[in-house]
């Protein structure tokens, strides 16, 4: 029986930022924070680091190939540490594997790089040495962001402020959540799906490799290049459990369109969650973008796999769509900020085209948690951020316009499926988005000739609606304005915020463009990181 | 009909020592720092003055030289990792010659480009240092950058052993 429950966030066990600002492990190479140099009694091993800051030394090394790095790490202690930063080796691997899937994965990126070289000589795995006297805030910060403690008391399913409901009818869902645009966790909604078999690696391998040996794409907010894996090599990567800031996150937009994976959940979805069912029936029509045709519509469904500590930084889902996300394996922690409430550390431009933000969930948690707690305790109830943990078998409804960030909690990997859709409740905003935010439309540019392009989508969508749902189209068009604060025209708080950020904030921030780059917008990519 | 007069706005960049260098707005805006300070400076003055207290006059002059040339011949993006230790193989001739300078100047350019937030210049200068490391033995690298080998004997042996693969690669 449905029972609505909205708990004030101040009652949620929020933990403190000091919990996130401790590491599960000391730095592999012995790096300590800069300040420790005054207390440790060990002299600093900095040499070139006395002249150039660590961040710039890393920039220089980012131009070096693997052989050069391998020679450099033999020069002195300072370069032993800097030259072994995993991001350097990761980027070298990714550059080399842009046109084919990575098949052999080592315990660390350096090992993976060496495996790629296919050398004759025998090579043993890299064993990090701890170096005395390496003090650096820059490198210690990265270490913190990849190995921050995830406090257990924060993670329980009971510790959350998003409604958690078991068993709900179509009417209840629409009236209490979709129409009012509120997130909800549908507890256990997919626990009986055949898709739960995906937790068995063999099952997943078989289902995904039955078709052509497609390579699967994984991305990360911290990597400049996408990566390509086979299913097997990606699961190996997850299993290697190497600590990384923003691990590569796989999601595939084709796996669920047809074939065995779709059959493992689709009929069950229709039965258990008819409010998400995209089949068009007269009364209960969801997923109106189906009118465009399966291939012509923007990307809308993804199989998502990620290792522990992978996740997506705060973003709003693309094209003003709603989404549902079903957890098949592992737990996730979700953080939500209501439409119009920009989370701390996130700075969208006035037109929304660009967003300046931390490069990883880890960085956000270690830096902005206190600001987050303050919002929880001071904002009015309806504007407060909310959060929850979901476990295998749960489904989350993500209403359009809500900022959200997700952290994968379990090892070796976490699997979910997600669909984005348009229904009557967000139709007017979607139409407005297609018309006025064309630069932000995503999920189609890298399929020219197949997918409708941004300049075509609005008109085609309206054509389909005119034919099948003329009343809904008319009602949506009559609204005359945004009905969600996420896109309401803001007055000029704009550029002054942007430049202040540049002046005062840490240089670790990454500027992300919501406009599409190389065919797939970063917002869409962020979507991909759930 | 009155002829349209194009007003070219000039910006005055002021070095650490107080020397003023006048450049066009376009050139100045190659620096994200200058760009954001200009937005701050929203005055009607013909020539805005932007203080750059961290940049010496000689370095600022060199930075401006880069920005001015970039306006006429944009620098090609430098591919990672470097394919060659010769900068002329990875970037246009003018730029390769531009960075053919003493190490101390190169480092100053890196610091200035970082401070002023001029990405192409930062990339060029960083890539140049990387090119000075490329294709050298560890001992040659140490000599080039005046680095002391501060490994213990045990550490040094371990690192060498572990990286033997690079002799074959």
């Amino acid at each position: 029986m449905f029972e609505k429950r909205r708990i004030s966030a101040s009652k949620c066990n929020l933990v403190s930022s000091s919990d996130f600002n401790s590491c599960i492990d000391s730095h592999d190479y012995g790096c300590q924070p800069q300040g420790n140099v005054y207390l440790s009694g060990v002299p600093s091993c900095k040499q070139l680091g006395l002249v150039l800051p660590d961040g710039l030394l890393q920039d220089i090394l980012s131009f070096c190939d693997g052989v050069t790095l391998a020679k450099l790490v033999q020069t002195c202690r300072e370069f032993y540490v800097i030259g072994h930063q995993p991001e350097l080796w990761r980027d070298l691997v990714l550059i080399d594997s842009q046109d084919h899937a990575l098949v052999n994965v080592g315990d660390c990126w350096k090992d993976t790089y060496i495996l790629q070289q296919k050398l004759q000589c025998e090579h043993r795995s890299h064993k990090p040495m701890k170096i005395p006297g390496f003090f650096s805030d820059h490198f210690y910060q990265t270490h913190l962001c990849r190995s921050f403690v995830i406090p257990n008391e924060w993670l329980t399913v009971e510790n959350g402020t998003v409604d958690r409901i078991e068993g709900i009818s179509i009417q209840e869902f629409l009236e209490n959540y979709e129409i009012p645009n509120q997130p909800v966790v549908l507890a256990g909604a997919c626990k009986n799906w055949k898709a739960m078999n995906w937790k068995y690696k063999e099952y997943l391998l078989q289902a995904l490799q039955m078709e052509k040996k497609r390579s699967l794409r994984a991305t990360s907010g911290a990597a400049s290049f996408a990566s390509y894996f086979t299913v097997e090599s990606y699961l190996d990567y997850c299993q290697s459990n190497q600590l990384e800031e923003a691990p590569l996150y796989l999601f595939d937009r084709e796996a669920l369109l047809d074939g065995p994976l779709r059959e493992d959940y689709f009929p069950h979805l229709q039965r258990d969650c008819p409010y998400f069912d995209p089949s068009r029936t007269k009364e209960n029509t969801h997923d109106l973008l189906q009118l465009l045709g399966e291939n012509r519509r923007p990307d809308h469904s993804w199989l998502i796999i990620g290792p522990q500590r992978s996740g997506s930084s705060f973003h709003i889902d693309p094209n003003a769509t709603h989404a549902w996300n079903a957890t098949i394996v592992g737990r996730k922690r979700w953080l939500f900020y209501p439409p119009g409430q920009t989370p701390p550390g996130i700075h969208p431009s006035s037109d929304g085209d660009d967003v300046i933000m931390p490069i990883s969930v880890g960085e956000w948690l270690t830096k902005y948690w206190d600001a987050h707690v303050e919002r929880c305790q001071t904002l009015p109830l309806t504007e407060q951020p909310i959060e929850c943990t979901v476990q295998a078998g749960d489904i989350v409804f993500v209403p359009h316009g809500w900022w959200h960030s997700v952290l994968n909690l379990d090892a070796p990997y976490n699997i979910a499926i997600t669909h984005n859709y348009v229904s009557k409740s967000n139709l007017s905003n979607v139409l407005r988005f297609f018309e006025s935010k064309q630069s932000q439309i995503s999920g189609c540019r890298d399929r020219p000739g197949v997918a409708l392009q941004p300049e075509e989508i609005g008109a085609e969508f309206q054509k389909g609606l005119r034919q099948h749902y003329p009343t809904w189209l008319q009602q949506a068009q009559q609204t005359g304005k945004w009905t969600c604060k996420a896109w309401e025209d803001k007055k000029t708080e704009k550029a002054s915020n942007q430049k202040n950020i540049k002046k005062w904030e840490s240089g670790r921030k990454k500027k992300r463009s919501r406009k599409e780059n190389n065919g797939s917008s970063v917002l869409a990519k962020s979507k991909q990181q759930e | 009909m009155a002829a349209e007069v194009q007003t070219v706005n000039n910006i005055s960049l002021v070095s650490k020592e107080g020397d003023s260098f006048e450049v066009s707005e376009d050139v100045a805006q190659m620096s994200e720092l200058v760009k954001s300070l200009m937005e701050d400076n929203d005055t009607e003055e013909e020539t805005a003055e932007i203080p750059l207290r961290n940049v010496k006059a000689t370095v600022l002059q060199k930075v401006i030289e880069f920005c001015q040339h970039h306006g006429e011949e944009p620098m090609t993006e430098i591919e990672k990792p470097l394919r060659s230790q010769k900068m002329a193989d990875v970037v246009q001739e003018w730029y390769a010659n531009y960075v053919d300078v003493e190490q101390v100047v190169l480092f100053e350019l890196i610091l200035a480009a970082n401070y002023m937030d001029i990405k192409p210049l930062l990339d060029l200068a960083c890539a140049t240092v990387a090119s000075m490391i490329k294709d050298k033995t560890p001992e040659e690298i140490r000599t080039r950058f005046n680095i002391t080998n501060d490994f213990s004997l045990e550490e040094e042996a371990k690192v060498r052993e572990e990286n033997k693969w690079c002799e074959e690669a």
Side-chain angles (χ1 to χ4, degrees), chain A residues 45 47-48 51-53 56 59-68 70-77 79-80 84 89 92 95 110 113-114 119-121 123-127 129 131-132 499 502-503, chain B residues 32 36-37 39-40 78-82 107 110-111 114 122-123 126-127 129-130 133-138 141-142 145-152 155 158-163 165-169:
Chain A
C45 66
Q47 299 194 54
L48 227 51
V51 179
L52 292 174
L56 294 181
D59 285 347
I60 291 169
L61 296 199
S62 74
F63 285 96
C64 295
D65 55 81
V67 167
T68 305
K71 303 243 164 97
L72 187 65
V73 300
Q74 297 179 60
T75 55
C76 63
R77 285 172 164 177
F79 279 118
Y80 175 81
H84 274 118
W89 296 95
L92 288 174
I95 290 169
K110 188 182 181 191
Y113 176 84
I114 296 170
L119 303 169
Q120 297 294 341
C121 67
H123 164 75
R124 275 167 290 169
S125 267
H126 170 58
K127 296 269 176 295
M129 283 191 311
I131 296 295
K499 67 183 179 218
K502 281 172 192 169
K503 275 197 248 174
Chain B
E32 292 293 333
S36 64
L37 290 173
E39 283 164 5
D40 256 348
I78 300 175
E79 256 182 61
K80 287 180 177 180
L82 294 176
F107 283 7
I110 290 179
L111 291 169
N114 184 49
L122 184 61
D123 281 350
C126 286
V129 179
I133 303 173
K134 187 172 167 59
D135 294 347
K136 287 190 165 69
T137 66
I141 297 172
R142 286 191 202 113
F145 292 99
N146 210 16
I147 294 170
T148 311
N149 178 356
D150 57 354
F151 280 126
S152 71
E155 284 168 353
K158 266 196 193 149
V159 186
R160 195 183 322 126
E161 178 64 33
E162 212 191 68
N163 288 288
W165 63 269
C166 73
E167 305 300 333
E168 183 195 326

Side-chain angles (χ1 to χ4, degrees), chain A residues 120-171:
Chain A
Q120 297 294 341
C121 67
E122 194 204 303
H123 164 75
R124 275 167 290 169
S125 267
H126 170 58
K127 296 269 176 295
M129 283 191 311
K130 286 206 201 295
I131 296 295
F134 192 88
F135 303 99
S136 164
D137 283 340
H138 172 86
F139 290 111
Y140 193 78
Q141 170 77 34
T142 315
H143 172 63
L144 192 57
C145 292
R146 68 170 85 109
S147 63
F148 60 93
V149 165
I150 307 177
N152 272 324
E153 59 271 31
W154 180 54
L155 294 184
T156 61
V157 154
E158 294 72 33
N159 185 40
T161 37
V162 175
D163 284 359
R164 190 178 166 80
I165 309 286
E166 202 163 322
I168 189 171
S169 72
I170 300 177
Q171 216 41 45

Side-chain angles (χ1 to χ4, degrees), chain A residues 2-5 162-165 168 171-186 322 397 399 425:
Chain A
F2 167 70
E3 199 183 277
K4 189 168 171 157
R5 191 173 52 111
V162 175
D163 284 359
R164 190 178 166 80
I165 309 286
I168 189 171
Q171 216 41 45
E172 284 161 347
F173 172 73
L174 293 176
E175 272 175 17
N176 294 296
Y177 296 105
E178 201 193 84
I179 294 167
N181 213 45
Q182 288 293 313
V184 62
V185 177
L186 303 160
H322 291 315
F397 166 63
S425 61

Side-chain angles (χ1 to χ4, degrees), chain A residues 263-304:
Chain A
E263 281 155 27
D264 284 354
Y265 76 91
F266 193 65
H268 307 271
L269 176 75
Q270 288 178 306
R271 182 197 64 205
D272 297 337
C273 304
Y275 28 84
F276 295 141
D277 173 17
S279 6
R280 278 186 293 122
T281 65
K282 219 167 132 198
E283 259 137 49
N284 171 37
T285 300
H286 267 65
D287 202 10
L288 293 169
L289 282 174
Q290 278 195 105
L291 292 170
L292 296 177
E294 197 63 28
N295 291 323
R296 297 195 331 149
R297 63 182 294 185
D299 298 334
H300 63 283
S301 82
W302 289 269
L303 168 69
I304 304 164

